[in-house]
Amino acid sequence: PVPPPPPLALEVTLAADNGFYSHIAELRARGLPLTAESLASLPPLLRPAAGDNGDVAKTGLGSSATLVTSLVAALLHTLGAISLPEPGGPPAAAAAQPKSHEREERELAMLHALAQVCHCAAQGKVGSGFDVCAATFGSHRYCRFSPATIQPLLGLAEGAAPPPALLLGAIGSAGRAPALDHGAEP
């Protein structure tokens, strides 16, 4: 018999613009004033330093939600689950076969739901969800989803992969809407 294929592995290295993390300690260590010009003088994609408490200081205001949503979107696009426009306009394939409004809404709903689950898991709690929703859909009015819709996913042991049926029930799949009961209006 043919042996089963090895499990797929994916290594992701995140590098963020210097404006994403606080580099106050780095500026002080270099004897530079706390100005935008000093920040611009630092090497690009500088690795963030942890503070005395071990945490890395972010800029806040939804920065982690934006990072998580961008990463989830890139992974879904790479795996062919959604299609993203190319920088500067739609890709040639999208121009030849425009995506239906219904399909675009379904793909954004899947991205939003999976990004919410990932962000809640990373934060260790269910927050308002507004920041992930804004990162997915842009400016809007938002009413948070019921935490119960993703609680089974957050209750898994740390690092445990969710059963596919449980994950797909929460985030949706082709032809099936996500379980999130949020509201969002432009």
Side-chain angles (χ1 to χ4, degrees), residues 57-178:
K58 304 177 309 216
T59 57
L61 300 173
S63 58
S64 63
T66 302
L67 182 68
V68 167
T69 303
S70 299
L71 175 61
V72 169
L75 291 171
L76 288 175
H77 178 74
T78 299
L79 297 171
I82 66 172
S83 59
L84 297 173
E86 295 293 326
Q97 290 185 321
K99 192 183 335 180
S100 73
H101 181 68
E102 182 179 297
R103 179 176 170 205
E104 184 174 338
E105 284 183 351
R106 198 170 52 243
E107 289 180 359
L108 282 174
M110 180 192 299
L111 166 60
H112 172 247
L114 185 55
Q116 287 285 14
V117 169
C118 292
H119 190 252
C120 289
Q123 297 282 329
K125 64 179 183 172
V126 177
S128 73
F130 177 79
D131 45 5
V132 171
C133 197
T136 304
F137 299 107
S139 298
H140 62 287
R141 188 181 81 185
Y142 176 73
C143 296
R144 188 183 88 175
F145 58 92
S146 302
T149 61
I150 66 167
Q151 202 59 50
L153 292 168
L154 297 179
L156 297 171
E158 187 170 332
L166 185 62
L167 182 60
L168 290 175
I171 69 166
S173 58
R176 188 167 152 205

Side-chain angles (χ1 to χ4, degrees), residues 15-83:
D17 182 85
N18 287 345
F20 182 79
Y21 295 106
S22 173
H23 288 293
I24 291 174
E26 182 69 26
L27 292 171
R28 287 185 175 142
R30 293 173 183 237
L32 297 171
L34 303 179
T35 64
E37 292 78 22
S38 296
L39 183 61
S41 74
L42 294 176
L45 306 176
L46 188 63
R47 184 175 179 86
D52 294 337
N53 62 0
D55 290 341
V56 174
K58 304 177 309 216
T59 57
L61 300 173
S63 58
S64 63
T66 302
L67 182 68
V68 167
T69 303
S70 299
L71 175 61
V72 169
L75 291 171
L76 288 175
H77 178 74
T78 299
L79 297 171
I82 66 172
S83 59

